[in-house]
Amino acid sequence: MKGGRLLIVEDEPALIRGLKDSFTSRGYEVLTAADGESGLQLAFSADPDLILLDIMLPRVNGFEICRAIRAHNLETPILMLTAKGQEEDIILGLNLGADDYITKPFRIGELAARANALLRRSKLKPADICRFGDFELDTAAHRLFRRGIEVELTAKEFKLLSHFASRPGRALTRTDILNAVWGHSVIVTPRSIDRCVATLRAKVEQDPHRPAFIQTIRDIGYRFEPG
Ligand code: CA
């Protein structure tokens, strides 16, 4: 998809300039904010299709921006620009409502691809049928088929797969998965998630050790790539 309105919240002038030029030449309308306060204002007033959000910002930081946006039920996809080796920051941002992240320094091509993926998916309506590879997940009927043949899933595996399928291409933390699939009240460890992912992979991945659909993001969680 070409275009869309992009809001860049970043306080490094050189990076803002580079990003603005790159995305403008890719057909985007680009708005920029150099501090968190004006970024937050633009997020609400300018109705962007996607927000590129730095975390360490003057006045209001990226975490507070994520929190405020989601607290007001604004669904705008948020892609965080994070520093290398800041896994805890990334997890916090994702848990506060960011959809994905990219680590600085990044290649503009990779950032553009991730931005496109988020834009494309935010425009899709949630469907009852999700297709990935040879599979068809029917969330209404609670059934998974591979080339028309039903694949047996446990209740937890089904819930986990449905959660992945409803958030394709997004970085999901273990906390997010835990709350969505197991609920807040149940005591489970991140290990339970990894075990459920392992049994699910054994059923849907051609090579569970080199998964194509349910990808591990080291130190963060998982990302579902329907391809
Ligand atoms: Ca910064």
Side-chain angles (χ1 to χ4, degrees):
M1 199 194 81
K2 284 273 169 206
R5 186 179 298 149
L6 183 67
L7 169 60
I8 302 170
V9 190
E10 167 63 64
D11 62 336
E12 263 174 68
L15 189 50
I16 294 186
R17 263 198 309 278
L19 289 174
K20 186 171 184 178
D21 288 351
S22 307
F23 279 99
T24 303
S25 71
R26 283 173 159 84
Y28 289 82
E29 178 191 348
V30 179
L31 306 165
T32 63
D35 68 76
E37 197 179 312
S38 49
L40 199 49
Q41 274 167 11
L42 278 173
F44 284 104
S45 64
D47 192 27
D49 298 308
L50 174 69
I51 302 172
L52 298 188
L53 181 63
D54 186 28
I55 295 299
M56 301 313 286
L57 288 164
R59 300 158 89 89
V60 178
N61 71 31
F63 300 128
E64 292 168 67
I65 292 177
C66 281
R67 200 196 319 260
I69 285 175
R70 296 304 182 233
H72 287 84
N73 292 321
L74 211 62
E75 303 272 323
T76 319
I78 299 173
L79 203 162
M80 290 185 292
L81 311 173
T82 59
K84 215 182 167 80
Q86 309 267 305
E87 281 73 20
E88 283 174 15
D89 283 358
I90 294 168
I91 289 170
L92 179 60
L94 293 172
N95 287 341
L96 288 173
D99 297 284
D100 204 356
Y101 68 95
I102 194 161
T103 306
K104 296 177 189 174
F106 47 76
R107 288 183 308 108
I108 188 73
E110 193 191 339
L111 175 62
R114 285 209 182 288
N116 264 328
L118 284 180
L119 276 170
R120 205 168 49 234
R121 280 151 192 170
S122 74
K123 293 207 169 12
L124 292 176
K125 292 206 173 63
D128 287 344
I129 305 282
C130 163
R131 290 184 178 83
F132 59 98
D134 294 336
F135 292 91
E136 202 176 277
L137 178 70
D138 186 336
T139 50
H142 268 249
R143 297 171 88 181
L144 175 70
F145 297 93
R146 181 170 188 231
R147 292 184 194 153
I149 297 163
E150 184 158 14
V151 179
E152 297 290 338
L153 296 179
T154 66
K156 276 283 170 289
E157 287 166 356
F158 186 85
K159 224 172 159 183
L160 179 63
L161 183 57
S162 301
H163 183 62
F164 280 139
S166 70
R167 305 184 74 72
R170 303 195 173 189
L172 302 172
T173 66
R174 288 185 171 78
T175 306
D176 172 89
I177 296 168
L178 207 69
N179 291 339
V181 178
W182 278 264
H184 297 261
S185 56
V186 190
I187 298 167
V188 274
T189 65
R191 281 263 151 260
S192 315
I193 300 171
D194 297 338
R195 266 197 301 274
C196 195
V197 165
T199 61
L200 186 55
R201 274 178 177 158
K203 294 178 182 181
V204 301
E205 299 285 358
Q206 199 153 28
D207 180 356
H209 298 288
R210 298 174 65 188
F213 305 123
I214 306 168
Q215 299 179 357
T216 299
I217 320 173
R218 215 179 144 211
D219 298 327
I220 309 287
Y222 296 97
R223 181 187 278 119
F224 182 68
E225 292 286 0

